[in-house]
Amino acid sequence: MAEFTQEELSAKILEFLGTVEKAKNKEVAAAIGVKKRDVDKAVNDLAKEGKIEFLYLGTSYICLPGSKGTAGAE
C-alpha cells in the first residue's frame, strides 16, 4: 500500500475522480493503492471543503461538484 500525506492523498482522490463520473470509496482506494479507511477520512474532509459531493443512487458514491455522476443511472 502506498503512503501519502493527507494533501497528497486528497490530490490523488481528486485526480482519480476527474477520470470517472462517480466512484465508491473502495474503488478509489483500490485505484490509488491505499486503505479504504484512509480514503474515507480524506473524502469527508474534501466534502467539508466543497471539493467533492456525495451521491445517493441506491448506494452512496462520490463525484466532483457539478458532475452529478448520473449518466446512465436513470
Side-chain angles (χ1 to χ4, degrees), residues 4-11 38-39 41-43 45:
F4 298 110
T5 66
Q6 199 62 27
E7 294 79 22
E8 291 170 332
L9 180 57
S10 294
D38 294 334
V39 170
K41 182 185 180 329
V43 161
D45 292 343

Side-chain angles (χ1 to χ4, degrees), residues 6-55:
Q6 199 62 27
E7 294 79 22
E8 291 170 332
L9 180 57
S10 294
K12 290 281 186 188
I13 292 169
L14 293 172
E15 181 181 328
F16 177 75
L17 288 176
T19 67
V20 297
E21 288 186 34
K22 64 184 184 300
K24 292 178 168 274
N25 289 6
K26 67 180 179 181
E27 295 168 342
V28 175
I32 62 178
V34 298
K35 295 177 182 174
K36 181 183 171 290
R37 69 172 182 241
D38 294 334
V39 170
D40 291 343
K41 182 185 180 329
V43 161
N44 286 330
D45 292 343
L46 287 167
K48 288 177 188 172
E49 296 170 13
K51 294 182 179 177
I52 64 169
E53 296 177 343
F54 289 99
L55 295 174

